[in-house]
Amino acid sequence: AETEPKLASFESRFREHVLEPMGRFAIVAEPVDMSTTEDRVQARLRLATEQHLGAHTPRPSAPSDSLASFQLHESAFNNALRGLDLDGKRLTVAELHQALSEKIRRHAEAPPADLPKAAKVEFAKNDAVRIICHGDRIELIMNIVELRHGRDNIRGVGVHAFFRPVVDGLELKLVRDGSLQFSGPHLRTGPRMVLHSVFGKMLPKDQELPVLAAKLNEDPRFAGLMVTQLVIDD
């Protein structure tokens, strides 16, 4: 009698916080391996659909004395980014901001006042947005076919933003690090300034992306716990 409502509550929260976000990014969690030992519960999930590639490399080892550990392969991030459905799309920057906030935060956020809302962005037909894990940072890459802003028309450019992890107790976030970088043929100072004026507003310096819910720090059940390891590797 006591178990049934607790399981129903867990199922509801699992649907809201796990299944629903995955659905927004058009991915599913397929169990690959699940096992228990005297001390551990271990699970491997494939975050993909039949149209996605999956990882084949072994996961890194976690500290043996950790209470919980979690590893994500870069292919899982990129499968989710494909769910943004930006491949081949042509949008104004205002429409792009709205689409991203609805996908990521479940509601449309008001764009920054200085966002060049009328600028238009056309994404590449394949791999419009992807990430690469290397060194100790995550690199976000946007492949742009064309950017139109006022009289400026810039074609064939890659926008590169870098995020570094910041750990403080149980608080874990990714913070935009360094300057935006741009790749493309014959990129001169003028086009670079235009690119900075558009994408610098969408990806502001020191932008923070929370990885663990901040409310964990406020939960007395987690008192005395902290994140002890965070590794980003190829």
Side-chain angles (χ1 to χ4, degrees):
E2 293 180 10
T3 303
E4 186 172 346
K6 291 186 181 294
L7 286 175
S9 174
F10 171 78
E11 182 181 8
S12 175
R13 285 183 285 125
F14 186 77
R15 188 183 304 111
E16 177 184 357
H17 297 292
V18 179
L19 297 182
E20 183 185 325
M22 286 186 178
R24 293 201 304 274
F25 291 95
I27 56 176
V28 295
E30 178 186 359
V32 175
D33 177 58
M34 307 178 93
S35 61
T36 58
T37 67
E38 290 289 333
D39 305 309
R40 296 267 171 175
V41 175
Q42 297 177 331
R44 292 175 58 225
L45 303 176
R46 184 173 184 266
L47 304 181
T49 67
E50 292 180 351
Q51 287 74 42
H52 289 140
L53 293 175
H56 65 86
T57 47
R59 67 177 181 85
S61 298
S64 60
D65 61 347
S66 61
L67 182 66
S69 62
F70 192 75
Q71 295 91 25
L72 269 175
H73 194 273
E74 122 182 347
S75 62
F77 287 105
N78 285 316
N79 289 341
L81 288 174
R82 289 186 183 95
L84 293 175
D85 195 27
L86 292 177
D87 287 3
K89 289 291 180 67
R90 185 179 181 86
L91 304 165
T92 66
V93 170
E95 291 169 338
L96 176 61
H97 182 276
Q98 178 178 343
L100 292 178
S101 62
E102 288 177 349
K103 282 276 189 179
I104 296 171
R105 305 190 189 280
R106 293 190 290 181
H107 64 274
E109 290 186 330
D114 56 354
L115 187 72
K117 303 179 183 66
K120 292 185 178 180
V121 180
E122 181 180 346
F123 287 93
K125 292 183 178 180
N126 297 295
D127 290 332
V129 185
R130 64 190 179 95
I131 71 151
I132 299 176
C133 298
H134 59 76
D136 59 352
R137 300 191 298 179
I138 291 178
E139 179 181 358
L140 173 70
I141 305 170
M142 290 184 285
N143 292 309
I144 308 300
V145 172
E146 182 181 43
L147 170 67
R148 285 185 174 270
H149 183 36
R151 296 181 179 180
D152 295 294
N153 181 18
I154 304 169
R155 300 185 61 85
V157 65
V159 181
H160 305 257
F162 301 87
F163 293 84
R164 59 180 172 83
V166 174
V167 177
D168 182 12
L170 276 177
E171 187 177 5
L172 173 58
K173 56 193 175 186
L174 295 173
V175 179
R176 234 261 289 143
D177 187 37
S179 301
L180 291 178
Q181 296 182 14
F182 307 103
S183 58
H186 314 301
L187 266 181
R188 299 181 183 276
T189 302
R192 288 180 182 275
M193 292 178 64
V194 173
L195 290 164
H196 270 292
S197 70
V198 174
F199 293 102
K201 301 295 190 299
M202 291 195 63
L203 297 165
K205 187 172 176 58
D206 298 328
Q207 179 183 28
E208 296 183 355
L209 302 175
V211 178
L212 289 180
K215 63 183 180 181
L216 289 182
N217 271 326
E218 304 167 4
D219 193 322
R221 294 173 298 178
F222 290 91
L225 297 182
M226 63 184 296
V227 177
T228 58
Q229 182 193 57
L230 191 150
V231 177
I232 297 174
D233 200 0
D234 291 336

